[in-house]
Every structure is written in C-alpha cells, then in structure tokens.
Amino acid sequence: MCMHGMQMHLIPVQRWRFSATVPRMAATKAEQALVDQWRDLLALHARTQCELDRVLHEHGLCASDFEVLDVLAGSRAPDGTCAYRVQEISERVHLSQSALSRLIARLEKCGLVERAMCSKDRRGVRVALTGKGRALHGEMLPVQRAVLRRMLAGG
C-alpha cells in the first residue's frame, strides 16, 4: 500500500516535469530570440557611438559632449529657462551624476557652457550654453544627425 501511494505520487510529478519541458524549450527559444535582439541593439549602439565619437573628435568633442550640448540647445528647462539644473540634464543623458559633473566641468573649461547657482535653490547648479557652445552645437548638429541617419537607417 505504501508503494502504491508512492507510485501515485510520482506519476503526477513525472507528468509535470514532462509537460514543463515542452513549454520550457519554447520559452528558451523565445528567450534566446530576445537575447539576440538585445545583443543586436547593443552592437548597433556601440557602432553608432564609435562613429559619433570618431566624427566629433575632429572638432574636439565626443558623443557624450554633444549629447549635453544638444540637450542644452534643444529645448527649454521645465521652468521655462534655457539653463538646466545638472539633475535635469542627467535625466536626459545616460551618464552617472559624477561622470556628468566631470563632463560639464570639461565643457566649461573649453568655454562651451557656463554654470551658475540656482536662484530658487542655492544648492542647485544651472548649466547653460555659451555663445561659443551654441555656435559649435549648430556646426555639429548636421554632422551628428547625418551619422544617426546613416547608422540607424539599416538597423
């Protein structure tokens, strides 16, 4: 009787394992397709980033530099000004706060941006393009957009 009860218990477990194998194989194929898609996306990003760095380097910029200039030139901050708080920039570019701070310091040293204390919050720092930064952004915008069109058109 014990053996019979044990067999009854094993049969559903064996069925569950068998039936779970088929969906698991399907899930594995679907997961692999997802992973392949993710890796293709990463490869496209890496190729595009390298190409942007290459063409912008001729003008003393890297892709991340241009992204910050583009954010500053592209639209107004939430409060309607043309200057952004560092936190607002970090929400729009994919850099850590410390990397962004170093990048802004480098752009400031080159005379492309200027920093000032926030009038509403003395702890905050606002960043704005200088005339030189706006001019360089305007010169590099068609170059950057051409690279994006070329690299992203074919996927």
Side-chain angles (χ1 to χ4, degrees):
M1 180 121 167
C2 241
M3 195 171 194
H4 179 66
M6 203 170 175
Q7 289 173 344
M8 293 294 283
H9 185 269
L10 289 177
I11 292 171
V13 170
Q14 290 171 344
R15 282 188 190 156
W16 179 82
R17 285 185 181 165
F18 177 75
S19 64
T21 304
V22 174
R24 180 70 186 141
M25 287 172 35
T28 300
K29 286 183 181 184
E31 287 173 4
Q32 188 58 50
L34 190 62
V35 168
D36 290 345
Q37 184 180 9
W38 170 243
R39 288 184 180 148
D40 289 346
L41 183 63
L42 289 175
L44 177 61
H45 175 268
R47 286 190 310 271
T48 304
Q49 190 80 8
C50 286
E51 183 62 10
L52 285 169
D53 282 337
R54 187 186 68 74
V55 300
L56 293 171
H57 181 73
E58 298 169 13
H59 302 276
L61 297 173
C62 68
S64 295
D65 296 340
F66 184 84
E67 281 301 312
V68 170
L69 296 179
D70 203 39
V71 165
L72 293 172
S75 61
R76 296 199 177 279
D79 65 1
T81 66
C82 290
Y84 280 83
R85 291 177 61 143
V86 175
Q87 178 62 35
E88 293 165 340
I89 298 169
S90 73
E91 291 169 0
R92 305 207 43 210
V93 297
H94 302 286
L95 295 172
S96 68
Q97 189 80 29
S98 60
L100 179 59
S101 293
R102 287 190 303 273
L103 187 150
I104 289 170
R106 190 173 68 249
L107 293 176
E108 184 178 37
K109 189 174 180 179
C110 293
L112 301 174
V113 301
E114 57 190 4
R115 290 189 277 189
M117 298 299 289
C118 288
S119 59
K120 295 178 183 175
D121 179 3
R122 304 286 299 169
R123 296 171 295 164
V125 174
R126 296 191 87 60
V127 181
L129 284 177
T130 62
K132 181 180 175 182
R134 192 165 297 286
L136 183 59
H137 175 265
E139 183 183 334
M140 294 293 89
L141 184 65
V143 173
Q144 189 256 10
R145 297 303 198 258
V147 169
L148 293 181
R149 273 191 298 281
R150 186 174 73 248
M151 299 300 293
L152 302 177

